[in-house]
Each structure stands twice: as structure tokens, then as C-alpha cells.
């Protein structure tokens, strides 16, 4: 045991040395008291009229400007400047009216939405409820090729339309241009939270077949939204320029525009110092360097995202929209548990996240009231001996003396582990995981031989690429504590394609009519987390702290657990 720990320590020191060399900066964490005491020139209260701010991002967008077709976080950043939804989320993670208000029937099955009048699309057309209906009908169309059908499948008749058995969704009624009734097929506590919130510009998309919509110029080159800013210019792989929408329904935005610019995260400090960027979702490695700048403030908050290692159990049948468990490499619970025991997660957090994360043993972040108490869960503290013991119990032993285990049938056993490309820390993190599994005798290699470009990596997950047997992933839950979007048996984002009867039973029970009792719902989710924690269909790693660097000249930015883009029309510049 001591020898293994020594090897781990040496490896971690080596990886960190390489990482620091790549970053060419000190890796120490920020001293919050020192940060508070730092002398920063006080900004005046004089608000500058207009002006343009630049949001920096370290990944290139895919260039999809309609949320119904997008799968990239960077695309969603752009969309949040140019789109508004039916509802919004407040600081308490409660859903509140935005484009529409609603009433709920006594039987809790029918929701009546009343849309605001006078709201304008960027092309000058007025928003009506029919634009929202058009979006819902598109998501349920048999030819729809985006990843959002799950946001409409709960509506009565949506599954029939998706299967080609109906022309329209039976549960949708257009009462008048501003009043829409939605009837769900069953009572669920989160029917509101789970329905698609973004209207589509029906007239703008007129004449385009659903099968062609995702690749159309209207979606990728000439988008139309409802938000505070509209797309002016896009240079693929470099930046997107948005300009103020003067007729924004909540009021004229204070800024003239926003630029979303791709930037190497290692150059973030220089870009902030030179005024090239004003706000950025930053990596932990950037905190210390940015904290030294007098013109930048660091905002830190506990968010709703976490990181994990996915394990492949099968594939997705895209015709039936079902996940099929037909890959048995990780069927052994003991193997999965051994893989988690082998990871020194606190050391990895310190080494690659500057301490800006907390070890997680569940996939419901502590921000949510439904999160299980730590005492209810196995902590899976780093224990190489325990990992090896579990492997032996499950029949994974080294029969040929090469230092690596064979499977219970005596066949060679190897894991291909995938990770997306990015900052230097990503290379170190992936190598630490691979080495940890090799240290317990589970032969592990980097899938494809190198880190994979981010958008290609997402495509590989979508298509169940055989190279990704185990894969690093991060997930943001949004504001709804329901984890079904990633872990339900047939969820599209259940990238491991994990299918388990008890898993699905508990997730559905937590959304049932009984779950209107908050205590009951909490109890069910705790039971689900206990089950997940024992079965480990994926390996929870840590909950991420959300970190933002913001130029002091930019004010009006409101940050909460779900992001930084609340009321962007209020963003303004001070001199």
C-alpha cells in the first residue's frame, strides 16, 4: 500500500511539473482575505451610454443559434444573449413567468399559458403563442434531428406524432394567438420544468422542411431571436458579434453590443489586462493570475454542475429512441467500485482544479434540497488495497504475470478512456486517471491516442463511438433537481446507455403525483442516490465551483447557481 501511494505521489508531482511548465505560471490557490485587501481603484458610478463588451470562451462554438438543435455550452452562451423563454429561473431555483404566465387545472394535467403581447422578434414580427406551438410540434416531428424531444414527450400525443401516427400533438390547443393550453399525459411534479421553453420564429422558418432545419441558413447564418441582442456577424472559430435590439420587450439594452470571442485560456490574464475581454467563465488555473489584476474581479459560486467518468453499457437505437444495453465490459459492480476506489480525487482536485471543487459521491449537487446527506453515501475514499480486493472478488486477476488483470473468463482486459482537448490541466487529468487504473492492474489506454477536439468528442458520444469505453464528462443540471435527463433509462444524454429497472422506477416515482409532497420526493431522491452510489453506473468525481473573471468596468452582471446571463439587457459600462 505504501509503495502504491509513493508511486501515486511521484506521478502526481511529475504531472504537475509538466502542467506548470505548460501553463508557465504559479499554481497556488487564491487567498480570499488577500484578495479582499487588494487595493483596487474604485470605479465611479458614472454609467457610460452604450459600448461593447467581450465575453471570452476557451472552446469554439458549433455555430447553431437555435436552442432546439444546439448541444454545445458555447452555443448556449450565445443563445442566452439572443433568446428569451416562456419561463425564467430565480435565485431560489424557482420557475417564474417570463414570456408567459400560466394557470394549472385542478387535476394538474392541463396548463394554460397566456403570452405577453407586443413582444417582437428580431425581424420585427410579433411573438404569438403559435410560435411556441410551432417549436413543440417541431420537436415531436419524426424528422426532427435535434436532441430535445424529451422536452415535449410528456405532452399528450407527442409520442404518437413522433412515431408518425399523428399529424399534430393532441395535447396542444391554440385558444387564441396569445393563449395556449397544454395537456400532459400524466401528472408529474415537474411537468412545467420539463417542457420546452423556447418559441421558434414560425414565419422565419416558413418553407423549410423539418429535416433541413438544423442545417439551414436561418439557424446557422441568419438567426432570429427574442432577446436583448441580435446576431450581426459570425466568423467561424473566432468570434460572434451581437448588436443591441432596440425593441427588446423588457427595455432597451444599455450596451451597444456583445462579442463572444474564442480565446486560449492561458492568455486570459493578458487579454483582461489589455481590455480584449470583459467577462469569462474561467478555469481554476487562471484564478491566481487574474486576482493580481487591479481591473478584474473574481466571482465564485456553488453551481449545479459536476464531473464524472461515464462507462459504456450499450448503444442508442435512434429509430426507437431507446437505449440498448449490449456492451458488457462494465457489468461487474465490483469492477466499477474498484475503479472509483483507485482514484485519489482530493489530490486531483488540488492538482488540476486548484482546490476549486468538492469531491462528489452523488450526481445531485448539494445546491439542491434533494441532495443526499454525505452520511447516507459511501465516500469511496482513495484505497488501492480495497480496489484490488474488489477486483479479485469479481474474478479479475493477473493470470499471466504481466501486471495487468484478465477478465473472469481469463481473457485480456483493457479499458479505452476518452477525454476532450483543452487546457494543459486536461492532459494531466486524463493521464492521472489512466495511471490510477493501471496502478491497480486494470490496463487502461487513452482512446484515439490523444485528447479529442471538443465538438468531435461530443459527436463521438452522441454516436456511441466504440473508442469511448470510459469517458470524462461534465453536466449541468439547470434548475430542476430531477436527474432523469442524464440518468433515466432512455434519456438521450444517458451517454453510457445504462438501463436498469430499479433506476427507472425510482426516477419515475420521484416525479409522480405523490411527489407533490416535498418530503416524499426528497425521500425518493435520497433512495435513488443511495442506489446510484452503490451501483455506480458512472463514477462521480467532483462538484465544480463556478468561476468568473469580470472587468471592473462591466457592471450589472447577476450571477447565481444556474449562470451569469440573467437580465443581460441590464449589463452596462462604468467609467
Amino acid at each position: 500500500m505504501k509503495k502504491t501511494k509513493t508511486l501515486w505521489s511521484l506521478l502526481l508531482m511529475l504531472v504537475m511539473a509538466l502542467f506548470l511548465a505548460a501553463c508557465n505560471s504559479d499554481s497556488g490557490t487564491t487567498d480570499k482575505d488577500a484578495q479582499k485587501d487588494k487595493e483596487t481603484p474604485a470605479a465611479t458610478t458614472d454609467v457610460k451610454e452604450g459600448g461593447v463588451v467581450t465575453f471570452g470562451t476557451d472552446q469554439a462554438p458549433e455555430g447553431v443559434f437555435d436552442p432546439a438543435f444546439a448541444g454545445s455550452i458555447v452555443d448556449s452562451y450565445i443563445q442566452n444573449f439572443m433568446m428569451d423563454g416562456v419561463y425564467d429561473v430565480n435565485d431560489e431555483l424557482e420557475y417564474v413567468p417570463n414570456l408567459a404566465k400560466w394557470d394549472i387545472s385542478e387535476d394538474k394535467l392541463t396548463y394554460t399559458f397566456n403570452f405577453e403581447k407586443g413582444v417582437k422578434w428580431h425581424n420585427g414580427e410579433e411573438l404569438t403563442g403559435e410560435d411556441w406551438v410551432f417549436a413543440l410540434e417541431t420537436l415531436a416531428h419524426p424528422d426532427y434531428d435535434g436532441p430535445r424531444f424529451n422536452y415535449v414527450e410528456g405532452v399528450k400525443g407527442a409520442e404518437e406524432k413522433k412515431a408518425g401516427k399523428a399529424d399534430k400533438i393532441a395535447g396542444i390547443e391554440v385558444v387564441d394567438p396569445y393563449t395556449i393550453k397544454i395537456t400532459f399525459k400524466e401528472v408529474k411534479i415537474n411537468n412545467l420544468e420539463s417542457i420546452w421553453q423556447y418559441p421558434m420564429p414560425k414565419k422565419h422558418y416558413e418553407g423549410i422542411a423539418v429535416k433541413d432545419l438544423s442545417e439551414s441558413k436561418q439557424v446557422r447564418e441568419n438567426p432570429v431571436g427574442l432577446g436583448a441582442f441580435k446576431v450581426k456577424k459570425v466568423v467561424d472559430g473566432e468570434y460572434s458579434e451581437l448588436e443591441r435590439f432596440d425593441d427588446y420587450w423588457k427595455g432597451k439594452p444599455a450596451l451597444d453590443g456583445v462579442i463572444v470571442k474564442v480565446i486560449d485560456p492561458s492568455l486570459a490574464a493578458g487579454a483582461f489586462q489589455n481590455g480584449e475581454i470583459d467577462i469569462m467563465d474561467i478555469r481554476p488555473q487562471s484564478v491566481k493570475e487574474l486576482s493580481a489584476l487591479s481591473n478584474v474581479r473574481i466571482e465564485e459560486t456553488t453551481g449545479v454542475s459536476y464531473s464524472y467518468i461515464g462507462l459504456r453499457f450499450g448503444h442508442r437505437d435512434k429509430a426507437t429512441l431507446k437505449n440498448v444495453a449490449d456492451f458488457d465490459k462494465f457489468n461487474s459492480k465490483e469492477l466499477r467500485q474498484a475503479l472509483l476506489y483507485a482514484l485519489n480525487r482530493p489530490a486531483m482536485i488540488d492538482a488540476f482544479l486548484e482546490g476549486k471543487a468538492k469531491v462528489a459521491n452523488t450526481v445531485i449537487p448539494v445546491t439542491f434540497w434533494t441532495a443526499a446527506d454525505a452520511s447516507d453515501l459511501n465516500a469511496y475514499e482513495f484505497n488501492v488495497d480495497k480496489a484490488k480486493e474488489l477486483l479479485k472478488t469479481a474474478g479479475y486477476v493477473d493470470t499471466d504475470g504481466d501486471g495487468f488483470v484478465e477478465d473472469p473468463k481469463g481473457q485480456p482486459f483493457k479499458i479505452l478512456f476518452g477525454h476532450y482537448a483543452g487546457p494543459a490541466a486536461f492532459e494531466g487529468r486524463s493521464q492521472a486517471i489512466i495511471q490510477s487504473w493501471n496502478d491497480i492492474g486494470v490496463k487502461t489506454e487513452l482512446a484515439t491516442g490523444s485528447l479529442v477536439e471538443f465538438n468531435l468528442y461530443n459527436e463521438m458520444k452522441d454516436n456511441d463511438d466504440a473508442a469511448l469505453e470510459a469517458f470524462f464528462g461534465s453536466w449541468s443540471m439547470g434548475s430542476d433537481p430531477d436527474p432523469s435527463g442524464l440518468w433515466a433509462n432512455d434519456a438521450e444524454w444517458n451517454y453510457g446507455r445504462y438501463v436498469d429497472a430499479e433506476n427507472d422506477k425510482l426516477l419515475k416515482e420521484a416525479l409522480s403525483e405523490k411527489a407533490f409532497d416535498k418530503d416524499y420526493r426528497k425521500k425518493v431522491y435520497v433512495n435513488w442516490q443511495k442506489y446510484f452510489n452503490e451501483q455506480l453506473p458512472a463514477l462521480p468525481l467532483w462538484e465544480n465551483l463556478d468561476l468568473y473573471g469580470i472587468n471592473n468596468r462591466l457592471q450589472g452582471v447577476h450571477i447565481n447557481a444556474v449562470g451569469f446571463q440573467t437580465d443581460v439587457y441590464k449589463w452596462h459600462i462604468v467609467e
Side-chain angles (χ1 to χ4, degrees), residues 395-433:
Y396 293 85
V397 294
D398 180 9
T399 59
D400 60 10
D402 67 349
F404 296 109
V405 300
E406 277 66 49
D407 70 16
K409 296 180 180 178
Q411 298 300 310
F413 187 79
K414 180 176 69 174
I415 296 174
L416 296 177
F417 172 74
H419 197 301
Y420 48 90
F426 289 11
E427 182 73 41
R429 184 168 67 193
S430 61
Q431 290 302 322
I433 291 170

Side-chain angles (χ1 to χ4, degrees), residues 307-309 311 333-346 348 359-362 378-384 386-387 390-391 433 436-437 440 442 532-542:
S307 295
Y308 68 99
I309 295 174
L311 305 171
K333 179 177 70 174
E334 290 77 15
L335 168 64
R336 303 193 297 269
Q337 292 176 340
L339 294 176
L340 188 52
Y341 273 118
L343 300 177
N344 191 337
R345 292 176 289 168
M348 293 174 67
V359 169
N361 292 298
T362 174
N378 184 346
Y380 290 99
E381 294 179 351
F382 176 54
N383 191 328
V384 169
K386 178 69 172 177
L390 284 164
L391 289 173
I433 291 170
S436 296
W437 290 349
I440 61 169
V442 176
F532 189 102
N533 176 256
E534 177 191 357
Q535 296 296 320
L536 291 182
L539 311 182
L541 295 175
W542 46 72

Side-chain angles (χ1 to χ4, degrees), residues 520-532:
Y520 177 82
R521 192 182 188 199
K522 169 72 178 281
K523 180 181 178 181
V524 175
Y525 275 135
V526 169
N527 288 338
W528 178 79
Q529 289 168 86
K530 289 179 179 179
Y531 186 72
F532 189 102

Side-chain angles (χ1 to χ4, degrees), residues 234-254:
V234 177
V235 178
D236 289 341
E238 295 185 28
Y239 68 89
S240 298
E241 183 179 353
L242 297 94
E243 62 183 346
R244 179 176 64 207
F245 179 47
D246 288 342
D247 292 329
Y248 180 55
W249 69 286
K250 288 183 180 179
K252 182 179 177 180

